[in-house]
């Protein structure tokens, strides 16, 4: 629709971003709004140009109106070349200037503001262009004419140069007094604090206004030069103040470091404010020059002077009396050249404490430099984030500026740098200390390395062969005090990072980490000696650590325990990751920095060593199992006519094998990275399981021992099922034995689970064919013998070993299609708690599974949803609220799952009656549930964007009538007004009457309302889909408010109420806008709030003002039913977009689960604190595992007392690994269940179900295993019926009628291992003999 031209505020763009993953309707609405605003902006510009053309044409002289191109050139400050003067008498002009001069010399308060506003009114209303010459041009009378004819503003009237130097002198005096006043305001000087302050008491808008007034009096370049000098002086005062206020205990470089650490946040804030001010006055490259001169160069110069002074002090303190050296006097503060120390000063050396202080100083400055680059890049769109060494400013000056001075002297513009890049040469301050720092770096690092290696050697020599461990977390300057943005680029994922490392290595690497910022800072060619020294010392330390690791690895197992190998492997991984980090931070592609010998870092050597240590660990574990644990002569005596332990237990070797693997798992879980720990355990389990397959595949037991094979294989399958939870990454890997399945490929998991599945299927085959009752075997296979030509039919039924062991959990349907329902939830929970650490992908999947069933169980069984009141500790309440906040922040990220937030919090939302709180969301006076505070924070963040713009609009409206935001409006004295030349036709604002002001207020209120309703759809679209769905669900529960919400909708209702609340809160408005509001601005904003209330039919206190009715009526007359249309657009985004997203994620969710979970995980981790929220939820789930498992298994008999409710207050130290190894407990347990030998011996196998499933197996495998049965052995004592069945089987399957003992056992062994169910498997040649 065509909108009238009376509402230019409608065309403004608001900083609201539509979140990723939103619906197509959201983006469609945003694109339509953007296109409409661009079109309306173009129409508005065209309309105003036409009006300006009409005004500039003079019909009395027959002059034609200027063209649109000429009109546009008026707005170019450099395009104006001529002005059209009118006749103004010399004496009249002189009297006017003298009147201004006399009034400014009076003692009347606020006189400068009065004169400034008068001059601005004369310029804007009457078209008078006052001289804007540089201050240095006062010596030449001709310069006035030059300025008048080359004015920076093309106006209707221009003061004519009639004569003289006298007018110029008076005008310069007026300008000078006004300039002093404005510069005093900008410097924030007051009687209590006469010195300049870096953080101005003026708001950003007020500073812009002051600078614009200065630009009205002086050229822009001169104004910026004066402002630059002010800021530079303020920076110096701040630095001196910070250093002088340091405690007496801080001396030398410590005092310097602490001073700059306290100054940098203030500098950053001030620079940020100036980056908001300067773009309204200058071009981007001029801004760079300003920042270089006012901030960066000032800091660099002062730093150089301070470092030089402290260096002389350190030189005096550290040098011995017998080797005194000549002291150097302090150079100029503006000098950043390096100190030229004499040769005999080589005896001067820095202490390690001084080196650490310098490192912390470098780290502070690196952080400041990085922040400044990022700020400038974001604010000016000039890429300053590159790592260009020796950044220098490129100074240039246009010819036009060079011609500004008539007397040949340098103009003030030369002081203002025009820079292409940031110039922050703080590194030059360290040049004089380069040889001393380089030497100290070598000494300190070599000393630390030698000391820790000697301590480790002494401890080892004393007989302590177990390696001392420490946590792998780094407590360094970089990580604990100052976070450098560059460090986050090279971090490794948590699941790839070791948990513990060797203590001696941790101490050495901590020192290297502490000195890394200093090496990273020394990138200039003059500082490369320090970086090279660090790299060389780091290389020596790395090789020394590597040698010690290799030495200790050779001692296993002869003189050191197996537990040392995971520790050595974790240490090697940690050092390798740190070396990669150092290489990434220190590498540079430039020729200058290529001289740093980064090849000295033994990265590849460590990678090879890590691989070797891993191979040693896995090979040794497998060898221990094959040569020791699984070698039990008594258990392996298959031909023994006596039963093994009277048939009451399985083999000791099998029990000890599981016992060993549980201990290994405990060691791996506590030390290695999570991913690697699972890989190592999976490999050892798989390869040792292969040994067991070979053992039982070749066994030919006697009658008394064949039940031992059945019992042993049963125990092995039970043990593997227990260990498999720790090896698998996902439910698919747990139940699917085919690694080529699509789900496995998407998941990208390990191959070991699939090999383990195959080996367990082979064991189950051995158990069935070798130990099944002969009569059942005969009945199954003789009636339908195995076909020679078809080893295995793909469509034939197959019994998975998990289904045979636990048919209740692993049903045939679950094996074929995957676990579903409660079983899948329980499976995910057990996988999550069996993992070495937090698995974010699996955790997020579990939180979303079955419409967020697990979070619902947690909330339903917590104190939140209990009918009876329990006494809950304050800590648990606080932890419970934190859990709600964590869930809220996780699910609001997931725009691909808009219903998840409501589904997860459903019990909580119902219990605390959240719906009514959403209706009164804007009320802040009463206590509300924590989730309401979270929703309010998101909603108010969006409404604040509108409020900031509304405040800016009100302040802009106010400026023509109440200049400078003055709290007390002052009139221009009659003595000054009388001196205004009559030709200028000036009329004061007071003479216009109050009617115009009243009309202006109404017009501006209409524009504000129009702006709000125009942007209402965009505000809704910027909210996360989960928040919109929450309001959509809440609206259905608020039937008592149907009348109010029928047209508006709950979410627009809440947004408008939050806007009203914000407009009525001046303190909040000042805080979010940074502007000081006077009474007039507050009244206008309050009027706007009343208009919004009336538009929403909200009952107001008292009788509504006539102005409110007039505003709404005028808006309705100009745009009939437009506000309702905008609200309907907003409401549509609260319903249809959510349902559309729900339909899109319907059927595809099953097929693309892993892919979608990966994308959602990225969304969560990109949100600030997202990973921490996931970790917090993981610990709560882990701490309440038993309760959750009982609920998922359908146990409803637990009493509702505090002992059986969810505990949120687990504390920081409450997280204990659930797979902690207790030797005595583990020996008699399988997981959490007590080991019952008799139950394993008497295991009830479902033979009628198992045997038919193996009809399709390979004939070669069947023959081999059949020949191993005790009935097939020579001399077996058989009854008549058994003999008949054996003869029939031999006749069918052994055509040559060879006795079973004549078959080749090795060939049989190889066949069984390589062929089972048609899937070939690799054979381990290291089989037990």
């Amino acid at each position: 629709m065509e909108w009238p031209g009376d509402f230019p505020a409608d065309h403004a763009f608001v900083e609201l971003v539509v979140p990723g993953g939103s619906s197509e309707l959201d983006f469609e609405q945003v694109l339509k709004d953007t296109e409409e605003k661009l079109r309306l902006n173009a129409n508005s510009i065209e309309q105003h140009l036409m009006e300006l053309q009409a005004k500039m044409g003079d019909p009395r002289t027959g002059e034609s109106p200027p063209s649109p191109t000429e009109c546009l050139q008026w707005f170019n400050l450099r395009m104006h070349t001529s002005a059209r003067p009118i006749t103004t008498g010399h004496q009249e002009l002189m009297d006017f200037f003298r009147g201004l001069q006399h009034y400014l010399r009076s003692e009347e308060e606020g006189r400068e503001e009065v004169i400034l506003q008068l001059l601005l009114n004369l310029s804007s209303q009457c078209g008078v262009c006052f001289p804007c010459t540089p201050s240095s041009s006062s010596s030449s009378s001709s310069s006035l004419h030059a300025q008048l004819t080359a004015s920076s503003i093309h106006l209707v009237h221009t003061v004519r140069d009639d004569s003289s130097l006298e007018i110029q002198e008076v005008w310069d005096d007026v300008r000078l007094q006004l300039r002093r006043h404005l510069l005093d305001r900008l410097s924030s000087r007051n009687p209590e604090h006469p010195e300049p302050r870096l953080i101005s008491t003026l708001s950003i808008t007020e500073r812009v206004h002051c600078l614009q007034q200065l630009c009205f009096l002086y050229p822009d370049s001169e104004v910026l030069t004066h402002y630059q000098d002010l800021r530079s002086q303020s920076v110096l005062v701040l630095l001196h103040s910070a250093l002088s206020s340091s405690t007496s205990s801080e001396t030398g470089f410590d005092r310097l470091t602490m001073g700059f650490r306290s100054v940098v946040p203030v500098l950053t804030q001030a620079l940020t404010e100036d980056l908001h001010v300067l773009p309204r006055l200058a071009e981007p490259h001029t801004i760079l020059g300003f920042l270089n001169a006012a901030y960066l160069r000032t800091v660099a110069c002062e730093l150089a002077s301070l470092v030089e002074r402290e260096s002389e002090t350190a030189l005096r303190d550290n040098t011995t009396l017998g080797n005194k050296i000549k002291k150097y006097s302090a150079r100029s503060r503006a000098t950043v050249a390096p100190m030229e120390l004499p040769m005999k000063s080589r005896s001067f050396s820095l202490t390690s404490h001084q080196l650490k202080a310098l490192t912390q100083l470098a780290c502070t400055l690196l952080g400041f430099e990085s922040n400044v680059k990022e700020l400038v890049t974001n604010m000016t769109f000039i890429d300053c984030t590159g790592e260009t060494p020796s950044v220098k400013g490129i100074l240039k000056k246009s010819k036009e500026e060079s011609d500004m001075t008539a007397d040949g002297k340098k103009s003030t513009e030369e002081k203002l740098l025009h820079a292409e890049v940031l110039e922050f040469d703080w590194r030059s301050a360290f040049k004089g200390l380069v040889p001393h720092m380089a030497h100290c770096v070598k000494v300190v690092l070599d000393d630390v390395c030698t000391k820790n290696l000697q301590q480790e050697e002494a401890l080892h020599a004393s007989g302590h062969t177990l390696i001392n461990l420490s946590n792998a977390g780094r407590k360094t300057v970089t990580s604990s005090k100052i976070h450098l943005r560059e460090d986050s680029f090279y971090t490794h994922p948590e699941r790839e990072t070791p948990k513990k490392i060797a203590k001696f290595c941790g101490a050495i690497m901590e020192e290297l980490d502490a000195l890394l910022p200093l090496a990273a800072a020394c990138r200039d060619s003059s500082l490369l000696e320090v970086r090279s020294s660090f790299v060389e010392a780091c290389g020596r330390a790395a090789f020394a650590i590597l040698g010690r690791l290799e030495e200790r690895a050779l001692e296993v197992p002869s003189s050191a325990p197996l537990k040392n190998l995971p520790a050595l492997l974790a240490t090697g991984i940690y050092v390798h990751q740190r070396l990669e980090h150092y290489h990434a931070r220190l590498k540079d592609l430039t020729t200058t920095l290529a001289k740093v010998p980064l090849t000295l870092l033994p990265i590849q050597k460590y990678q090879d060593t890590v691989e070797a240590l891993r191979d040693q660990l896995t090979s040794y574990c497998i060898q221990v199992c094959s040569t020791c644990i699984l070698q039990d002569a008594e258990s392996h005596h298959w031909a023994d006519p006596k039963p093994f332990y009277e048939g009451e237990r399985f083999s000791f070797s099998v029990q000890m094998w599981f016992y060993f693997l549980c201990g290994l798992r405990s060691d791996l879980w506590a030390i290695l990275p999570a991913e690697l720990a699972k890989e190592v355990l999976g490999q050892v389990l798989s390869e040792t399981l292969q040994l067991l397959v070979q053992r039982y595949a070749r066994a030919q037991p006697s009658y008394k021992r064949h039940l031992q094979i059945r019992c042993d294989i049963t125990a092995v399958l039970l043990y593997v099922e227990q260990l498999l939870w720790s090896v698998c990454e996902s439910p698919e890997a747990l139940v699917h034995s085919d690694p080529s399945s699509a789900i496995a490929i998407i998941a990208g998991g390990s191959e070991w689970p699939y090999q383990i599945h195959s080996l367990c299927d082979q064991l189950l085959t051995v158990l069935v064919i070798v130990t099944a009752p002969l009569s059942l075997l005969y009945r199954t296979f003789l009636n339908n013998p195995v076909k020679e030509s078809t080893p295995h039919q793909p469509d034939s039924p197959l019994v998975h070993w998990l289904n045979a062991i636990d048919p209740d959990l692993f049903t045939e349907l679950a094996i074929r299609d995957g676990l579903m329902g409660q079983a899948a939830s329980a499976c995910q929970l057990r996988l999550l708690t069996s993992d070495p650490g937090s698995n974010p992908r699996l955790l997020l999947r579990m939180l979303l599974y079955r419409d967020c069933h697990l979070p619902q169980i947690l909330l339903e069984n917590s104190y939140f949803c209990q009918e009876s009141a329990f006494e809950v500790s304050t800590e648990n309440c606080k932890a419970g609220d934190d859990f709600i906040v964590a869930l809220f922040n996780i699910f609001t990220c997931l725009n691909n799952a808009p219903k998840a937030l409501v589904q997860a919090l459903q019990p909580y939302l119902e219990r605390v009656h959240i719906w009514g709180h959403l209706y009164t969301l804007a009320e802040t006076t009463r206590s509300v549930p924590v989730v309401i505070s979270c929703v309010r924070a998101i909603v108010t963040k969006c409404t604040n964007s509108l409020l900031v713009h509304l405040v800016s609009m009100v302040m802009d409206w106010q400026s023509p009538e109440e200049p400078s935001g003055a709290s007390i409006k002052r009139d221009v004295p009659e003595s000054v007004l009388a001196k205004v030349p009559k030709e200028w036709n000036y009329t004061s604002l007071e003479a216009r009457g109050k009617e115009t002001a009243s009309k202006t207020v109404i017009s501006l209120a209409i524009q504000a309302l129009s702006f709000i309703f125009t942007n209402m759809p965009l505000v809704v679209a910027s909210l996360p889909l989960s928040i919109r769905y929450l309001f959509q669900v809440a609206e259905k529960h608020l039937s008592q408010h149907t009348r109010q919400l029928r047209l508006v909708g709950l979410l627009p209702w809440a947004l408008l109420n939050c806007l009203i609340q914000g407009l009525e809160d001046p303190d909040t408005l000042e805080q979010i806008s940074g502007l000081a509001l006077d009474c007039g601005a507050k009244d206008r904003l309050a009027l706007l709030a009343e208009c919004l209330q009336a538009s929403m039919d909200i009952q107001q206190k008292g009788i509504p003002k006539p102005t409110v009715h007039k505003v709404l009526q005028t808006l309705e007359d100009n745009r009939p039913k437009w506000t309702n249309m905008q609200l309907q657009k907003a409401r549509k985004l609260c319903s249809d977009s959510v349902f559309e997203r729900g339909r899109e994620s319907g059927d595809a969710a099953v097929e693309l689960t892993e892919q979608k979970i990966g994308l959602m995980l990225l969304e969560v981790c990109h949100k600030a604190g997202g990973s921490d929220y996931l970790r917090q939820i993981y610990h709560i789930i882990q701490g309440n595992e038993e309760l959750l498992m009982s609920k998922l298994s359908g146990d409803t008999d637990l009493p509702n007392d505090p002992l059986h409710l969810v505990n949120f207050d687990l504390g920081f130290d409450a997280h204990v690994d659930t797979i902690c190894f207790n030797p005595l407990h583990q020996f008699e347990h399988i997981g959490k269940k007590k080991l019952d030998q008799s139950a394993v011996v008497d295991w009830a196998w479902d033979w009628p179900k198992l045997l038919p499933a193996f009809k399709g197996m390979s004939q070669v495998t069947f023959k081999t295993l059949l020949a191993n049965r005790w009935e097939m052995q020579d001399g077996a004592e058989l009854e008549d019926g058994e003999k008949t069945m054996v003869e029939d089987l031999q006749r069918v399957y052994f055509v040559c009628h060879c006795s079973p003992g004549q078959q080749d056992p090795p060939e049989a062994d190889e066949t069984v291992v390589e062929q089972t169910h048609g899937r070939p498997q690799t054979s381990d040649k290291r089989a037990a003999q």
Side-chain angles (χ1 to χ4, degrees), residues 962-979:
E962 298 177 19
S964 305
S967 58
I968 301 177
K969 183 179 177 181
R970 301 185 183 279
D971 297 333
V972 181
E974 289 296 332
S975 59
V976 176
L977 287 176
K979 301 293 180 65

Side-chain angles (χ1 to χ4, degrees), residues 694-713:
Q694 293 178 357
R695 165 191 289 184
Y696 294 109
R698 66 160 59 104
Q700 296 180 346
S702 65
Y703 168 68
K704 296 292 186 179
R705 284 296 184 107
H706 86 281
L707 291 181
Q708 182 192 350
I709 291 183
R710 181 190 300 174
C711 182
D712 282 0
I713 294 178

Side-chain angles (χ1 to χ4, degrees), residues 1075-1198:
L1075 301 176
L1077 302 178
D1078 57 17
C1079 294
K1082 293 176 184 178
D1083 291 341
R1084 288 175 172 83
L1085 291 169
L1087 173 64
L1088 184 55
E1090 293 180 17
C1091 293
L1092 273 178
Q1093 286 178 330
S1095 68
M1096 297 169 60
D1097 295 329
I1098 297 178
Q1099 185 66 33
Q1100 298 180 356
K1101 298 178 181 179
I1103 302 174
K1105 298 177 182 178
T1107 307
V1108 174
H1109 289 297
K1110 193 168 185 178
V1111 168
L1112 296 179
Q1113 187 60 44
T1114 305
L1115 181 60
E1116 181 64 23
D1117 292 342
N1118 286 324
R1119 298 180 177 181
K1121 299 183 179 180
W1122 176 74
T1123 56
N1124 288 336
M1125 291 173 56
Q1126 291 299 109
L1127 290 174
Q1128 287 302 314
K1129 285 182 183 179
R1131 185 173 186 179
K1132 186 178 180 182
L1133 296 175
C1134 304
S1135 55
D1136 291 348
S1137 62
V1138 173
F1139 293 134
E1140 178 185 352
R1141 175 60 58 182
R1143 288 193 298 269
E1144 289 176 358
S1145 59
D1147 300 334
V1150 178
E1151 299 176 7
L1152 301 177
T1153 297
E1154 288 297 332
Q1155 183 180 3
K1156 290 181 66 177
I1157 291 297
L1159 295 175
M1160 291 179 181
L1161 185 60
L1162 286 177
E1163 287 184 278
V1164 173
C1165 294
H1166 286 169
K1167 180 183 177 70
S1171 299
D1172 294 333
Y1173 291 133
L1174 284 175
R1175 195 176 297 108
Q1176 178 184 351
I1177 296 171
Y1178 165 74
H1179 289 317
I1180 290 176
I1181 291 175
Q1182 191 178 45
N1184 296 276
E1185 179 188 0
E1186 291 186 9
L1187 173 64
L1188 290 172
M1189 197 63 76
S1190 65
K1191 294 296 179 180
L1192 289 173
S1193 61
D1195 186 1
T1196 58
D1197 297 333
L1198 292 178

